[in-house]
């Protein structure tokens, strides 16, 4: 009891805060109390926070269709296609059974994803640079290669604007 009064004399408290000490709580009139998080119930097994599919940890608290999109190379259409191929229900990822997870991993491994896809794209761009075609040259120069205009936009590829010294506006 003495430690609570000592703590309350040292710390400035507003009327909306409450002090909790050794299981008993002292609160000011009109205080707001927040529920304390209870420890997770243990059922004799470890709780898995994320599921690993295709070398990526996908979120546990989202539906499978949206969780699969965290894998590079799987978008909206391919995620739906995978669910249709497996005839899986689109439920929350943590509710999947072990058999469903194994079949999901097998189906995802059929596609080119993550490192393989990135490597394939990088090699394709290197080949374009090597044969010195228009697209390869544009990649080397850091400019758009799909026909966009470069007078006003394309700051993402060109980088931050650099002012040219000695260039002045024409007088009227």
């Amino acid at each position: 009891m003495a430690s609570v009064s000592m703590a309350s004399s040292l710390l400035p408290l507003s009327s909306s805060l409450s002090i909790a000490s050794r299981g008993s709580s002292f609160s000011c009139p009109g205080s707001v109390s927040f529920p304390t998080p209870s420890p997770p119930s243990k059922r004799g097994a470890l709780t898995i926070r994320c599921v690993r599919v295709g070398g990526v940890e996908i979120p546990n608290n989202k539906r499978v269709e949206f969780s699969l999109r965290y894998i590079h190379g799987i978008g909206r259409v391919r995620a739906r296609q995978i669910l249709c191929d497996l005839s899986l229900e689109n439920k929350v990822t943590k509710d999947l059974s072990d058999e469903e997870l194994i079949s999901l991993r097998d189906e995802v491994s059929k596609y080119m994803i993550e490192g393989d896809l990135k490597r394939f794209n990088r090699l394709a761009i290197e080949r374009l640079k090597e044969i010195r075609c228009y697209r390869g040259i544009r990649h080397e120069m850091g400019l758009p290669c799909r026909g966009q205009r470069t007078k006003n936009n394309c700051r993402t590829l060109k980088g931050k604007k650099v002012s040219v010294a000695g260039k002045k506006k024409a007088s009227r």
Side-chain angles (χ1 to χ4, degrees):
M1 290 292 218
S3 64
V4 172
S5 64
M6 191 169 151
S8 63
S9 66
L10 293 175
L11 300 171
L13 295 173
S14 66
S15 62
S16 64
L17 297 176
S18 63
I19 302 173
S21 170
R22 295 186 188 159
S24 62
S25 63
F26 301 96
S27 59
C28 301
S31 66
V32 177
S33 63
F34 297 101
T36 57
S38 61
S41 61
K42 295 183 179 177
R43 300 179 195 165
L46 293 172
T47 55
I48 299 172
R49 295 192 184 259
C50 289
V51 177
R52 199 160 181 84
V53 177
V56 178
E57 289 184 353
I58 60 175
N60 231 5
N61 56 351
K62 296 187 179 188
R63 296 199 173 270
V64 178
E65 179 185 348
F66 300 107
S67 296
L68 286 175
R69 294 187 199 178
Y70 280 72
I71 301 171
H72 181 78
I74 296 181
R76 182 174 52 90
V77 174
R78 186 163 287 171
R80 288 183 183 171
Q81 183 64 42
I82 289 170
L83 288 177
C84 288
D85 290 346
L86 295 175
S87 64
L88 267 180
E89 184 182 332
N90 189 18
K91 53 188 174 183
V92 180
T93 308
K94 64 183 171 186
D95 296 337
L96 290 173
S97 67
D98 290 337
E99 296 83 26
E100 291 172 332
L101 272 175
I102 291 169
S103 64
L104 184 66
R105 286 182 183 125
D106 291 340
E107 185 68 26
V108 167
S109 66
K110 293 178 183 175
Y111 297 100
M112 187 184 293
I113 54 168
E114 284 297 316
D116 295 334
L117 180 62
K118 290 176 184 175
R119 190 176 308 109
F120 176 80
N121 290 336
R122 190 185 71 243
L123 289 174
I125 291 172
E126 283 178 11
R127 185 184 62 83
L128 292 173
K129 290 178 184 178
E130 200 173 288
I131 63 174
R132 302 293 295 163
C133 69
Y134 178 80
R135 283 177 55 206
I137 293 169
R138 300 295 278 186
H139 273 292
E140 281 180 358
M141 292 171 43
L143 294 170
C145 56
R146 292 190 178 179
Q148 297 94 330
R149 296 192 177 260
T150 57
K151 182 177 180 181
N152 296 327
N153 290 329
C154 80
R155 279 289 147 215
T156 305
L157 288 172
K158 287 168 73 173
K160 196 167 173 92
K161 194 173 190 179
V162 180
S163 60
V164 178
K167 186 176 181 182
K168 294 184 179 180
K169 292 184 180 179
S171 60
R172 292 181 179 176

